[in-house]
Amino acid sequence: MNKRVVVTRPNHDFTTRYLSYWAQKVIAAAERKGDQVLDLKQTRATRREFESVVEKLGPDFIFLNGHGNTQCVTGQDNESLVAVGENEVILRGTVVYALSCQAARKLGPAAVRAGTNAFIGYTGDFIFYRDTAKQTRPHHDSVARKFLDPSNQIPLSLLKGNTAQQAQVSGKGAFRKNIRKLLTSETSAQDTSLLSALVWDMTHLECIGDPASVI
Amino acid sequence: MSEDTLDEDIKQLVVARLRSLPPDREISIGADGSFKKEELIRHVEEEDSVGRKMIEIEMSFLRALKEGVLYDE
């Protein structure tokens, strides 16, 4: 059965530009398999739009991209889209992947208490390196790709029908694969500087809620 | 060795690792923003919130190496 997917993609600084670009790959994959995707990009990534779309569509999967903290994930111009004690109940009955800083620390558990099936996210900041020569062309940035492709592995795994826990394990595996590549002798000394950030992201990726949840 | 000396050693270790970054790399640390190599080094030397975060990231990596996290399946 085709799935209903909501994606939020603010784009107002370099970080959100990159997340937004990479999320397009997930949207394309979902659309190729016939899933219904509601793409809240740029100025549509507001709380009002988000709540309205989620209530009308009743999505199976919500993919949040943007800044955040332990309490919330934000949209365009850092407007809070979903926050602890305000509207986390809107995520009930869904599987969520939050590509956002620290959201798995408090927002994730609060969302699960409010009925979210599973919440995958990061208990620390999501950090990534970029190549400044490529920042206007994210698709050519092989440095950022080392971080954002492993992140994409999580929603892509969910879209294939894997469980939330399998998606988390798959994401960690993709980070680990890139870490191992960087540890090999063929890697330049400069690229080894990315290791600490990749390890950070991998170790802070968590799955909260029912690990057997599928979308 | 005093705690102050240890902290200073750790700081210098992190600065040394950051010096190996190529000049065309920038790190995005969520809502804290994006930082170039020299900015990161300054934050670490000043031990402000971004600097402390970078120290935590680098120390976490060194601990992961020691604990074999990178080789878990």
Side-chain angles (χ1 to χ4, degrees), chain A residues 111-126:
Chain A
V112 167
R113 283 195 298 275
T116 301
N117 295 339
F119 187 104
I120 305 171
Y122 298 84
T123 52
D125 287 338
F126 180 82

Side-chain angles (χ1 to χ4, degrees), chain A residues 118-146:
Chain A
F119 187 104
I120 305 171
Y122 298 84
T123 52
D125 287 338
F126 180 82
I127 56 178
F128 65 97
Y129 279 96
R130 300 193 312 268
D131 180 345
T132 53
K134 306 283 170 55
Q135 58 193 12
T136 57
R137 293 167 294 146
H139 49 297
H140 289 137
D141 192 336
S142 62
V143 176
R145 181 176 298 124
K146 291 180 171 62

Side-chain angles (χ1 to χ4, degrees), chain B residues 34-55:
Chain B
S34 298
F35 305 91
K36 292 187 171 72
K37 174 166 90 169
E38 293 308 322
E39 293 170 324
L40 282 177
I41 291 170
R42 195 176 68 244
H43 284 294
V44 171
E45 285 172 339
E46 290 173 359
E47 288 185 65
D48 60 17
S49 65
V50 171
R52 286 197 300 275
K53 202 169 276 183
M54 285 310 298
I55 291 171

Side-chain angles (χ1 to χ4, degrees), chain A residues 10 26 32 37 45 50 67 75 79 85 96 100 104-105 126 143 147 155 159-160 162 178 189 201:
Chain A
V26 174
R32 272 198 303 275
V37 180
F50 178 65
H67 291 301
E79 178 187 349
V96 177
S100 181
R105 280 179 67 185
F126 180 82
V143 176
F147 297 83
L159 290 169
K160 284 179 188 163
N162 292 314
N178 284 351
D201 290 337

Side-chain angles (χ1 to χ4, degrees), chain B residues 5-58:
Chain B
T5 310
L6 184 63
D7 287 350
E8 191 56 35
D9 285 348
I10 288 171
K11 205 162 87 175
Q12 291 313 313
L13 174 69
V14 172
V15 167
R17 279 186 52 79
L18 292 175
R19 286 200 196 287
S20 72
L21 276 174
D24 59 355
R25 296 282 160 81
E26 205 165 276
I27 189 170
S28 165
I29 312 180
D32 286 325
S34 298
F35 305 91
K36 292 187 171 72
K37 174 166 90 169
E38 293 308 322
E39 293 170 324
L40 282 177
I41 291 170
R42 195 176 68 244
H43 284 294
V44 171
E45 285 172 339
E46 290 173 359
E47 288 185 65
D48 60 17
S49 65
V50 171
R52 286 197 300 275
K53 202 169 276 183
M54 285 310 298
I55 291 171
E56 194 185 346
I57 290 163
E58 293 297 331

